[in-house]
Amino acid sequence: MPAPWKPESWRGKPIVQVPEYPDQAVLEDVERNLRNFPPLVFVKEVRDLKAKLAAVAAGEAVGHADVGERLREALLLVRRRALPHRCTVRRRLGEAVALAAPAQAAPTSMERRLVERINDARASHGLRQLRFAPKLGEGASAWSQRLVRRDAFRHARLRAGTGEIIAWGTCSWFRPARAVRMWLDSPGHRALLLRPGFRVIGTGWASGSWRSYGCAEMAVARFR
């Protein structure tokens, strides 16, 4: 049976690299000061993270790669002994929790407007209106945010039968109507947007600093 945990239990664990502290009195003084600081992560946050990571493992969440990325960033900050501000570590863990959580948010106003403009374009060509699919929308929304965050512009790996079109523009002029016009002006994108066989749609819209632009908008539309 393992010994009960105590705050000083770490002293009994094997370690590879041990710094030398020539002044024991100063070391003890620093440790006393550290005890007065709040923890890097609170117990409830750890429990929430464990529960939500279990949901990821069960396939109930999106953004699996990003969850691992945020956790690696937080752990590397600690393992490298970079002594980051505690808010930095907590922010990385908080991002992992947020990404691990099953996405239930309703589409944003820009995402709804993008659906409307696409359906307007399809209606003008005698095509059926597409129904918004929440799961498809969650994936599109997450991808638009990922593209902005990573300064990227590329398609996701999607299952067979799913189509995707993406577009971007600066915040001063790019809107859902402009995104649809750009797609309609491109033969390949136009064919996808006006494909008769599609039944459902999911959209994503994100904004932020992107590449050399202080503010850019990213549009993603997925069809099935």
Side-chain angles (χ1 to χ4, degrees):
M1 181 177 178
W5 181 88
K6 295 183 294 184
E8 61 272 14
S9 294
W10 64 272
R11 295 184 182 277
K13 304 294 182 182
I15 53 178
V16 178
Q17 296 179 338
V18 186
E20 294 183 1
Y21 299 104
D23 194 325
Q24 193 66 26
V26 172
L27 174 62
E28 292 174 358
D29 185 55
V30 170
E31 290 178 343
R32 279 194 297 270
N33 288 332
L34 289 175
R35 292 190 191 103
N36 295 323
F37 287 111
L40 290 175
V41 181
F42 292 94
V43 173
K44 184 179 185 302
E45 293 174 316
V46 174
R47 291 172 178 165
D48 287 347
L49 179 60
K50 289 175 65 177
K52 289 170 181 175
L53 287 176
V56 172
E60 300 172 3
V62 297
H64 301 187
D66 281 340
V67 173
E69 180 179 307
R70 293 301 184 279
L71 288 174
R72 283 195 300 274
E73 289 174 358
L75 292 173
L76 282 172
L77 286 170
V78 175
R79 291 174 64 183
R80 289 173 178 171
R81 302 191 179 195
L83 297 180
H85 192 281
R86 58 181 177 275
C87 291
T88 303
V89 177
R90 290 183 63 188
R91 184 169 65 252
R92 294 292 188 277
L93 293 174
E95 289 170 353
V97 171
L99 288 165
Q104 299 295 333
T108 65
S109 61
M110 297 295 271
E111 290 166 349
R112 289 195 300 270
R113 286 169 58 187
L114 187 56
V115 173
E116 293 168 359
R117 299 292 81 78
I118 290 173
N119 274 329
D120 288 346
R122 290 176 62 87
S124 68
H125 288 79
L127 298 171
R128 68 165 55 87
Q129 302 284 283
L130 299 176
R131 177 176 54 83
F132 182 80
K135 286 295 183 183
L136 203 58
E138 290 169 6
S141 182
W143 188 248
S144 66
Q145 295 171 36
R146 182 186 178 113
L147 291 177
V148 172
R149 186 172 62 250
R150 295 194 171 187
D151 287 341
F153 190 70
R154 61 185 175 83
H155 289 290
R157 295 179 181 175
L158 302 171
R159 78 181 199 187
T162 302
E164 179 185 78
I165 50 180
I166 60 178
W168 74 274
T170 58
C171 297
S172 61
W173 62 270
F174 194 65
R175 298 292 182 272
R178 295 293 294 271
V180 172
R181 174 48 53 195
M182 291 168 64
W183 287 327
L184 289 173
D185 289 341
S186 167
H189 296 90
R190 180 188 182 91
L192 199 62
L193 192 150
L194 299 179
R195 183 177 295 179
F198 285 138
R199 298 290 188 275
V200 295
I201 185 174
T203 54
W205 193 280
S207 62
S209 176
W210 184 76
R211 296 187 176 176
S212 61
Y213 299 92
C215 184
E217 308 271 5
M218 187 70 63
V220 175
R222 291 181 178 177
F223 310 90
R224 190 176 297 150

